[in-house]
Amino acid sequence: MDSRGNFMVPFLRVAMASWMCGTALFTALPLRAQTGADLSSRLQLALNADDSSKQLEALMVPEQATALADRFRRFSARFPETRWAVRAGQPLDDGRQTVEFAVSGTRQQDGLSYSFQAQQTVALALENGLIADQEILSDQSVLTSASKPLPISLLIPDTVLTGSRYDVDVVVDQPLGKSLLAGGLISVTPQQALEQQSPDIQLEPLGGGGLFKSVQAPFQPGSQVWAALLVHPDGLVTVSKRVQVVDDRRKLKP
């Protein structure tokens, strides 16, 4: 904690790594796949291979391979023990295939044990057997240093209307008794996320149950990335969540 009462979260960048690594990785994985099942199977095999970085680099378009492979290697260095699960989603009306990714991992640092989980849904456009474009439809990740599990629920929508107000709630699923809980929430810019910057989060005492905030969406379509931190006697929990901002009610997810 610095002199202003802000909590420096150097490992928050790790909690956001799935979004940053995923954005880089899934943008340019060239796969000769004709069905969503084939595509997801190839992705899962590559991501879980012992030489995954090399295999992924070989699958990328040349002009993007260096930068994108470097991001994946940095993510793998932070979490060497990871497991990826990939499955096909429903095709979109415009013909793009959707793929759902889930990654879990652990690491040891400074005598602490960290666990990491993330989910991401991506729409992929294929051209001549290559992934030519991608759009992240939903993304969230949770990193915890807790000495014992602290189950939480993220009650944050995947999509919201431009200019609307919505709730960003991180709910602790079990009673904490007399334990004190502190937390904070900050909006992360796309540039901060791309550069893997670690934001400062100002902590405030929280009432029982978790962190509850009402926020406003931008007035232009795009996305917001939220980073939240919970501090409790057993450890820390950091959360990142991408919210898609749309200007058409038909694009809202139920």
Side-chain angles (χ1 to χ4, degrees):
M1 183 176 296
D2 65 14
S3 60
R4 297 169 298 173
N6 293 341
F7 201 96
M8 306 291 292
V9 194
F11 51 82
L12 185 55
R13 68 185 69 178
V14 182
M16 296 163 58
S18 68
W19 180 78
M20 294 177 289
C21 174
T23 302
L25 177 62
F26 309 142
T27 301
L29 281 177
L31 300 170
R32 288 175 172 79
Q34 297 181 357
T35 68
D38 292 338
L39 178 63
S40 60
S41 296
R42 289 177 175 238
L43 279 167
Q44 181 165 298
L45 286 173
L47 288 165
N48 289 311
D50 291 337
D51 57 345
S52 57
S53 181
K54 183 178 295 185
Q55 289 200 29
L56 291 170
E57 191 169 350
L59 292 172
M60 297 177 185
V61 293
E63 59 270 23
Q64 298 186 31
T66 301
L68 302 184
D70 179 65
R71 289 181 185 174
F72 182 75
R73 280 193 293 267
R74 279 186 287 169
F75 172 73
S76 299
R78 294 188 181 108
F79 281 90
E81 300 295 330
T82 57
R83 188 67 184 173
W84 296 77
V86 187
R87 68 176 185 177
Q90 294 296 319
L92 300 179
D93 293 339
D94 59 13
R96 289 181 298 168
Q97 179 63 49
T98 63
V99 180
E100 299 174 359
F101 299 87
V103 58
S104 59
T106 59
R107 72 173 295 182
Q108 302 289 326
Q109 182 178 352
D110 300 328
L112 295 176
S113 177
Y114 295 93
S115 62
F116 171 69
Q117 292 185 328
Q119 297 83 39
Q120 185 180 70
T121 301
V122 182
L124 302 174
L126 301 180
E127 183 178 332
N128 298 325
L130 308 180
I131 293 179
D133 194 17
Q134 60 82 33
E135 179 185 3
I136 300 176
L137 303 179
S138 65
D139 177 82
Q140 68 180 41
S141 64
V142 177
L143 174 74
T144 178
S145 69
S147 57
K148 58 183 179 181
L150 181 71
I152 63 170
S153 296
L154 303 185
L155 305 183
I156 308 171
D158 289 330
T159 56
V160 296
L161 280 175
T162 52
S164 64
R165 295 201 67 83
Y166 63 97
D167 294 330
V168 175
D169 298 337
V170 182
V171 182
V172 178
D173 294 333
Q174 63 185 27
L176 292 176
K178 296 181 179 179
S179 299
L180 297 178
L181 187 68
L185 178 75
I186 191 171
S187 177
V188 181
T189 68
Q191 188 65 26
Q192 285 178 306
L194 181 63
E195 296 177 358
Q196 303 189 23
Q197 296 180 14
S198 182
D200 300 348
I201 297 183
Q202 185 171 357
L203 297 179
E204 299 177 355
L206 300 177
L211 187 153
F212 305 91
K213 295 287 185 180
S214 177
V215 300
Q216 184 166 21
F219 289 93
Q220 297 296 326
S223 64
Q224 284 183 301
V225 180
W226 293 102
L229 170 68
L230 294 180
V231 180
H232 59 97
D234 292 324
L236 307 172
V237 176
T238 61
V239 172
S240 69
K241 170 74 177 186
R242 181 187 179 100
V243 179
Q244 196 173 30
V245 182
V246 301
D247 56 3
D248 187 340
R249 288 187 177 274
R250 292 173 296 181
K251 297 181 180 179
L252 290 174
K253 294 182 180 180

